[in-house]
Amino acid sequence: MPQTTPRDSAATRRRLLQAAREEFTARGIAGARVDRIAAAANANKAQIYHYFGDKDGLFDAVLERFTEDAVGAVPIDAEDLPAYAARLFDYHLDHPDLLRLVTWARLEGRTTPSTQAQRTTSYRRRADAIKKAQQDGKVNDTLSASQILDMIESLAVGWTTTARGLLLDTQTLKRERNTYRSGIAEAVQRIVRTR
């Protein structure tokens, strides 16, 4: 058996993670097949077990990578929450695989301590930024910082799920994108506006 170099090993892991991301996003954990993942990655099943332990370990690695990428992708600006909501909307509309993978994880009761810690830290950081803006008089304090953050995420992220379920063609989705982004920003403006 030929020896593999660290570079070969890293490249194989990357290919396996990419192929697994596509397989898990399309089929969930239960429906995913390691033989399809290995074939798509130009690898063999033994490498999956070597690098990730099993299919669950591979899913966890994919979820952690997705979470790492997403957590810092849309930095919060608590002094301009409507613009933050618009950027969050754009990010999730442009990255539908993230929401799909997270939905599979929730449906199948999967998370990892690392993923949960990343999400919790990110959530606290964003809520604290809103709380500071409230204390500075720049954001309405009728609702708590956590309530405002939850509403922003529900508006921005939730619409992408609705849109994909209702708008069947990509042309309509592209045409309506600016209208919905503006509507989300306006709704957030009304929520956070100081009296």
Side-chain angles (χ1 to χ4, degrees):
M1 181 170 172
Q3 293 292 321
T4 59
T5 66
R7 185 178 300 177
D8 294 339
S9 176
T12 301
R13 282 180 58 88
R14 279 193 304 275
R15 288 194 318 272
L16 286 167
L17 285 168
Q18 180 59 40
R21 173 180 169 163
E22 292 168 12
E23 178 78 4
F24 287 130
T25 298
R27 295 180 173 88
I29 301 169
R33 297 290 174 259
V34 292
D35 54 338
R36 281 194 297 252
I37 294 168
N42 196 24
N44 62 58
K45 289 195 292 187
Q47 289 171 307
I48 291 173
Y49 298 114
H50 172 73
Y51 293 125
F52 303 103
D54 58 14
K55 184 169 76 168
D56 287 341
L58 180 56
F59 180 84
D60 293 344
V62 170
L63 185 61
E64 285 183 14
R65 175 69 59 87
F66 246 133
T67 302
E68 285 172 20
D69 293 344
V71 161
V74 185
I76 191 166
D77 178 357
E79 294 186 17
D80 192 356
L81 291 170
Y84 167 68
R87 288 192 312 275
L88 194 61
F89 164 79
D90 282 332
Y91 181 81
H92 282 278
L93 198 61
D94 292 338
H95 299 87
D97 289 355
L98 172 62
L99 190 57
R100 216 178 141 103
L101 191 71
V102 169
T103 300
W104 281 118
R106 286 183 182 144
L107 286 171
E108 300 190 30
R110 300 280 315 173
T111 190
T112 67
S114 172
T115 298
Q116 193 58 41
Q118 287 174 339
R119 285 188 195 140
T120 300
T121 300
S122 174
Y123 185 89
R124 284 187 186 140
R125 179 181 40 78
R126 289 175 287 137
D128 287 346
I130 294 171
K131 187 174 184 177
K132 169 108 172 52
Q134 288 176 312
Q135 291 167 346
D136 293 344
K138 296 177 179 173
V139 170
N140 187 317
D141 64 358
T142 303
L143 299 170
S144 72
S146 292
Q147 288 172 320
I148 290 172
L149 181 57
D150 292 347
M151 286 183 182
I152 290 170
E153 291 188 353
S154 294
L155 285 167
V157 180
W159 187 87
T160 62
T161 305
T162 304
R164 292 188 191 286
L166 298 176
L167 302 175
L168 301 178
D169 64 281
T170 56
Q171 293 297 70
T172 303
L173 190 58
K174 286 179 183 176
R175 190 172 60 248
E176 297 293 324
R177 180 180 189 138
N178 290 337
T179 302
Y180 280 99
R181 182 192 307 106
S182 296
I184 288 165
E186 176 60 26
V188 171
Q189 179 61 44
R190 291 176 187 222
I191 291 167
V192 303
R193 182 181 308 149
T194 56
R195 305 278 178 232

